[in-house]
Amino acid sequence: MNTVLAAEAGSTTARNLTITLFLVFVAITLAITVWASRQTKTATDFYAGGRSFSGFQNGMAIGGDYMSAASFLGIAGIIALYGYDGFLYSIGFLVAWLVALLLVAELLRNSGRYTMADVLAFRMRQRPVRTAAAVSTITVSIFYLLAQMVGAGALVALLLGIKPGTTFLGMDADTAKAATIFLVGALMIIYVTVGGMKGTTYVQIVKAFLLMTGAIVMTLLVLAKYKFNLSSLLGDAADASGKGAAFLEPGLRYGVETQGDALKTFYSKMDLLSLGIALVLGTAGLPHILIRFYTVPTAKAARKSVLWAIGIIGTFYLLTLALGFGAAALVGGKAITAQDKAGNTAAPQLAEALGKDFFGGNLGGATLLAIIAAVAFATILAVVAGLTLASSSSLAHDFYANVLKNGQASERQEVTVARISALVIGLVAIVLSIFAQSLNVAFLVALAFAVAASGNLPAILYSLFWKRFNTSGAVWAIYGGLLAAVVLVFFSPVVSGAPTAMFPEHDWHWFPLSNPGIISIPFGFLCGWIGTLLSKEHDEEKYAELEVRSLTGAGAH
């Protein structure tokens, strides 16, 4: 009886503490946002933070944008449930930075102004290219937003102790998750509409610091628990997973060998390859990462910010290994899936277990859980603000100012439209997220990466490196890659026909892979190539000007 009372007291303390910490973080970030709004006077301030951030600050902010709820909650969860196969996400996300650094960061900073489309439209007809870029940016951002909001719903259910069948403030588990998603959506709309890029960047920096600190503390506690003996940590993780030695070997989730079914085995191996390609190529096409390169004053600072980001992000992904295997060993696969089928709550559950071990009983567990959960909330809020800013900037700057108004819109009109767009995109993301709650968040982000690599990346690379490339090629590449990725996802086991699908009770899937990258990315490049050859449009002078500008920064804004 006493233990039950102590457990209840612990969970109530955790609940109150988490809510308090979360409110403190929200209050601090809203204060930053209001302060930033007073510094935001021009369109450059709203879209690019006045290009006033140093390489280190921007590196921290890129880290904040990139180390999303998917990284913290999703990857730790996938490693905790699938061991070695979950680790592939960490590697893929990290290696992707080399593509961004070597091929995109500096050239993009030199050639563009506010959005990805500025580079594409430089030597092409404005209207069709900017329209396509706006459509692509919004599609990728919404996929990515889904992942963050789903993570928020899962986290709140854990914190408030809401399991299927229980209630909180008269709400059942599903209603409480939906209410959380709505709250996160409302906050992100406020950050973007009030603070613009300046406010969003400072929120990212604060969040990156908090997330790194939280991950380092938890990793040290996991290692201390095992006296820094990795072998016994991995052994315990394999035992507690219920899968034995297979947990530490490839083949639990991807590349699964199905006896007597060669086709199924082949599809599983292709899925692994598809995921790897999407993760490695996706970063260089993500709109909310690309616009970060415009917030620094010089190309040198853009390079420096990517180097800082690689250091911060690389360290973080190494830490996710300890968090994932630590959760498998100390919480166990059954307890993780009992709370959240997709494993999104493994890291906070690990925090609770470590708190109980190191800081005494339920109160210690409740306290560490509350701190880590508040950090995860901070993560979600910061990333959704960055995504919303990228898509609203594209709608206002590319579509409204340059397509509808033909470049005649005033800066004030443009920023007003960007704020209205943020509201609309936020509402769409809230509604869609409520339907996507059964999916693992790292997995949802991998889909966003596939869509970005299929539509945006071919157009960006062709534009920067192929002299013959033209308007027709850019439009074909973006729409072709985007359409291929979205259609294949819609007809894949992610949406229907599987127990973990978005609509598990229906089945209209015919595409066998969960990630479309292996088909849609080459298709995007092929469309760009065919589209270019079908059009006679050709402007070598403009390409030469873009080449000089992208390599030297001459004439850059």
Side-chain angles (χ1 to χ4, degrees):
M1 183 70 182
N2 287 345
T3 357
V4 174
L5 287 174
E8 278 180 11
S11 72
T12 311
T13 311
R15 199 178 278 188
N16 296 341
L17 195 58
T18 308
I19 293 169
T20 309
L21 285 169
F22 177 57
L23 291 175
V24 166
F25 176 78
V26 169
I28 292 167
T29 49
L30 284 175
I32 291 171
T33 306
V34 171
W35 169 81
S37 72
R38 291 180 182 156
Q39 322 289 315
T40 301
K41 295 182 172 65
T42 65
T44 305
D45 289 336
F46 185 84
Y47 292 132
R51 305 193 204 288
S52 58
F53 293 102
S54 68
F56 171 68
Q57 285 176 319
N58 197 41
M60 283 282 280
I62 290 174
D65 242 340
Y66 199 70
M67 299 181 305
S68 61
S71 307
F72 188 48
L73 302 175
I75 293 179
I78 280 192
I79 293 173
L81 297 182
Y82 298 101
Y84 180 93
D85 280 10
F87 165 60
L88 296 169
Y89 277 90
S90 293
I91 299 302
F93 281 141
L94 180 55
V95 172
W97 271 104
L98 298 176
V99 180
L101 173 65
L102 296 172
L103 295 179
V104 175
E106 184 184 349
L107 304 177
L108 200 75
R109 162 67 193 80
N110 288 342
S111 342
R113 192 172 176 198
Y114 300 137
T115 64
M116 171 186 86
D118 287 338
V119 178
L120 303 180
F122 184 78
R123 61 191 183 105
M124 295 167 199
R125 296 199 310 280
Q126 298 277 323
R127 287 187 155 187
V129 171
R130 286 191 183 274
T131 306
V135 169
S136 175
T137 298
I138 290 161
T139 309
V140 174
S141 298
I142 283 178
F143 265 104
Y144 215 115
L145 278 168
L146 285 183
Q148 310 309 320
M149 319 270 259
V150 168
L155 194 61
V156 164
L158 170 69
L159 293 174
L160 303 180
I162 305 169
K163 288 185 178 164
T166 59
T167 59
F168 173 71
L169 296 178
M171 295 184 284
D172 61 18
D174 290 341
T175 316
K177 281 185 181 182
T180 311
I181 287 171
F182 186 79
L183 172 71
V184 169
L187 280 167
M188 89 184 169
I189 291 166
I190 293 168
Y191 288 152
V192 175
T193 51
V194 177
M197 177 57 97
K198 230 171 216 177
T200 304
T201 301
Y202 281 116
V203 170
Q204 301 283 20
I205 292 169
V206 170
K207 165 249 149 143
F209 173 76
L210 289 175
L211 186 59
M212 285 299 287
T213 309
I216 289 167
V217 167
M218 280 174 70
T219 300
L220 289 174
L221 291 176
V222 167
L223 294 175
K225 171 91 178 156
Y226 285 93
K227 299 187 170 56
F228 291 83
N229 183 338
L230 289 178
S231 177
S232 61
L233 165 62
L234 294 175
D236 269 16
D239 294 342
S241 71
K243 298 179 178 93
F247 187 71
L248 304 177
E249 293 167 8
L252 269 185
R253 183 180 172 107
Y254 297 105
V256 180
E257 296 276 352
T258 309
Q259 292 301 322
D261 193 339
L263 193 63
K264 204 169 178 187
T265 303
F266 172 74
Y267 285 151
S268 189
K269 291 186 174 175
M270 283 299 103
D271 222 350
L272 169 61
L273 191 58
S274 192
L275 171 72
I277 293 170
L279 293 181
V280 170
L281 297 179
T283 300
L286 288 175
H288 69 298
I289 298 293
L290 295 176
I291 63 168
R292 283 248 146 259
F293 300 131
Y294 298 131
T295 63
V296 288
T298 62
K300 187 180 177 185
R303 272 199 313 278
K304 199 179 274 185
S305 60
V306 179
L307 289 172
W308 273 111
I310 288 175
I312 293 163
I313 292 162
T315 309
F316 177 76
Y317 283 126
L318 283 175
L319 301 178
T320 58
L321 287 174
L323 301 183
F325 285 114
L330 299 172
V331 181
K334 275 188 184 166
I336 293 168
T337 47
Q339 175 63 44
D340 185 89
K341 273 187 218 154
N344 295 325
T345 55
Q349 284 175 282
L350 172 64
E352 190 171 20
L354 290 169
K356 283 179 181 170
D357 267 4
F358 284 91
F359 307 113
N362 291 320
L363 185 59
T367 308
L368 193 58
L369 168 63
I371 292 166
I372 295 304
V375 168
F377 263 130
T379 299
I380 290 165
L381 284 177
V383 175
V384 292
L387 284 160
T388 311
L389 183 69
S391 38
S392 60
S393 299
S394 187
L395 256 182
H397 179 64
D398 296 330
F399 191 68
Y400 172 75
N402 286 293
V403 176
L404 294 183
K405 290 286 186 179
N406 221 1
Q408 302 302 309
S410 69
E411 284 200 344
R412 191 169 182 168
Q413 286 173 317
E414 220 179 292
V415 172
T416 305
V417 171
R419 290 183 161 136
I420 295 166
S421 306
L423 176 66
V424 174
I425 289 159
L427 292 173
V428 170
I430 289 168
V431 172
L432 289 176
S433 304
I434 290 168
F435 289 102
Q437 291 182 52
S438 63
L439 301 176
N440 178 284
V441 290
F443 176 70
L444 273 170
V445 163
L447 292 182
F449 272 59
V451 176
S454 308
N456 296 346
L457 189 65
I460 292 169
L461 293 184
Y462 278 150
S463 196
L464 290 169
F465 299 110
W466 188 20
K467 194 184 290 186
R468 174 84 174 77
F469 195 52
N470 53 32
T471 306
S472 162
V475 172
W476 273 56
I478 293 175
Y479 286 134
L482 193 64
L483 205 62
V486 173
V487 167
L488 291 177
V489 167
F490 186 75
F491 290 107
S492 76
V494 176
V495 175
S496 69
T500 53
M502 209 184 241
F503 301 104
E505 64 281 3
H506 299 286
D507 185 2
W508 57 74
H509 93 283
W510 50 259
F511 182 65
L513 307 182
S514 296
N515 193 297
I518 198 165
I519 306 288
S520 58
I521 298 170
F523 187 74
F525 278 98
L526 180 66
C527 285
W529 181 69
I530 293 170
T532 303
L533 298 185
L534 287 178
S535 165
K536 290 194 168 61
E537 183 192 344
H538 190 36
D539 191 340
E540 286 203 12
E541 277 183 27
K542 210 67 173 143
Y543 173 73
E545 192 185 332
L546 177 68
E547 193 173 32
V548 170
R549 177 184 276 206
S550 67
L551 293 171
T552 64
H557 296 280

